[in-house]
Coordinates of all heavy atoms in Angstrom, one line a residue:
P1063 N 135.5 32.6 177.9 CA 134.5 32.7 176.8 C 133.3 33.6 177.3 O 133.0 33.5 178.5 CB 134.1 31.3 176.5 CG 135.2 30.4 177.0 CD 135.7 31.1 178.2
A1064 N 132.6 34.3 176.4 CA 131.5 35.2 176.8 C 130.5 34.5 177.7 O 130.1 33.4 177.3 CB 130.9 35.7 175.5
F1071 N 140.4 30.5 176.7 CA 141.1 31.0 175.5 C 142.4 31.7 176.0 O 142.4 32.3 177.1 CB 140.3 32.1 174.8 CG 138.9 31.7 174.3 CD1 137.9 32.6 174.3 CD2 138.7 30.4 173.8 CE1 136.6 32.2 173.8 CE2 137.5 30.0 173.3 CZ 136.4 30.9 173.4
N1074 N 145.0 35.4 172.5 CA 144.8 35.1 171.1 C 144.8 36.3 170.2 O 143.7 36.7 169.7 CB 143.5 34.3 171.0 CG 143.6 32.9 171.6 OD1 144.5 32.6 172.3 ND2 142.6 32.1 171.4
T1094 N 142.6 39.4 171.2 CA 141.1 39.3 171.2 C 140.5 39.4 172.6 O 139.4 39.3 172.9 CB 140.6 38.0 170.5 OG1 141.4 36.9 171.0 CG2 140.8 38.2 169.0
P1138 N 136.8 38.7 176.8 CA 137.1 38.9 175.4 C 136.7 40.4 175.0 O 135.8 40.9 175.7 CB 136.2 38.0 174.6 CG 135.6 37.1 175.6 CD 135.7 37.7 177.0
F1139 N 137.3 41.0 174.0 CA 136.8 42.3 173.5 C 135.4 42.1 172.9 O 135.1 41.0 172.4 CB 137.8 42.9 172.5 CG 137.6 42.4 171.1 CD1 136.8 43.2 170.2 CD2 138.2 41.2 170.7 CE1 136.6 42.7 168.9 CE2 138.0 40.8 169.4 CZ 137.2 41.5 168.5
G1140 N 134.6 43.1 173.0 CA 133.3 43.1 172.3 C 132.4 41.9 172.6 O 131.6 41.5 171.7
G1141 N 132.4 41.5 173.9 CA 131.4 40.5 174.3 C 131.5 39.2 173.5 O 132.5 38.7 173.2
H1142 N 130.3 38.7 173.1 CA 130.3 37.4 172.4 C 131.0 37.4 171.0 O 131.5 36.4 170.5 CB 128.8 36.9 172.2 CG 128.0 37.8 171.3 ND1 127.4 38.9 171.7 CD2 127.7 37.7 170.0 CE1 126.7 39.5 170.7 NE2 126.9 38.7 169.7
K1143 N 131.0 38.6 170.4 CA 131.7 38.7 169.1 C 133.2 38.5 169.2 O 133.8 37.7 168.4 CB 131.4 40.1 168.4 CG 129.9 40.2 168.2 CD 129.6 41.4 167.3 CE 128.1 41.7 167.2 NZ 127.7 42.7 166.3
G1144 N 133.8 39.1 170.2 CA 135.2 38.8 170.4 C 135.5 37.4 170.8 O 136.5 36.8 170.4
S1145 N 134.5 36.9 171.5 CA 134.6 35.5 172.1 C 134.7 34.5 170.9 O 135.5 33.5 170.9 CB 133.5 35.2 173.0 OG 133.6 34.0 173.6
V1146 N 133.9 34.7 169.9 CA 133.8 33.7 168.7 C 135.1 33.9 167.9 O 135.6 32.9 167.3 CB 132.6 33.8 167.9 CG1 131.3 33.4 168.7 CG2 132.4 35.2 167.2
I1147 N 135.7 35.1 167.8 CA 136.9 35.3 167.1 C 138.0 34.6 167.8 O 138.9 33.9 167.2 CB 137.2 36.8 166.8 CG1 136.1 37.3 165.9 CG2 138.6 36.9 166.2 CD1 136.2 38.8 165.6
A1148 N 138.0 34.7 169.2 CA 139.1 34.0 170.0 C 139.0 32.5 169.8 O 140.0 31.8 169.7 CB 138.9 34.4 171.4
L1149 N 137.7 32.0 169.7 CA 137.5 30.6 169.4 C 138.1 30.1 168.1 O 138.8 29.1 168.0 CB 136.0 30.3 169.4 CG 135.5 28.9 169.0 CD1 136.0 27.9 169.9 CD2 133.9 28.9 168.9
M1150 N 137.9 31.0 167.0 CA 138.4 30.7 165.7 C 139.9 30.6 165.8 O 140.6 29.7 165.2 CB 138.0 31.8 164.7 CG 138.6 31.7 163.4 SD 138.3 33.1 162.3 CE 139.3 34.3 163.0
I1151 N 140.5 31.5 166.6 CA 142.0 31.6 166.7 C 142.5 30.3 167.4 O 143.6 29.8 167.0 CB 142.5 32.9 167.3 CG1 142.2 34.0 166.4 CG2 144.0 32.8 167.7 CD1 142.3 35.4 167.0
E1152 N 141.8 29.8 168.4 CA 142.2 28.5 169.0 C 142.3 27.4 167.9 O 143.3 26.6 167.9 CB 141.1 28.1 170.0 CG 141.1 28.9 171.3 CD 142.3 28.6 172.2 OE1 142.9 27.5 172.2 OE2 142.7 29.6 172.9
L1153 N 141.4 27.4 167.0 CA 141.4 26.4 165.9 C 142.5 26.6 164.9 O 143.2 25.7 164.5 CB 140.0 26.3 165.2 CG 138.8 25.9 166.2 CD1 137.5 26.3 165.6 CD2 138.9 24.4 166.4

Side-chain angles (χ1 to χ4, degrees):
F1071 303 146
N1074 295 7
T1094 49
F1139 83 95
H1142 65 277
K1143 298 189 185 188
S1145 187
V1146 297
I1147 293 175
L1149 170 65
M1150 174 187 75
I1151 293 171
E1152 288 287 331
L1153 294 163

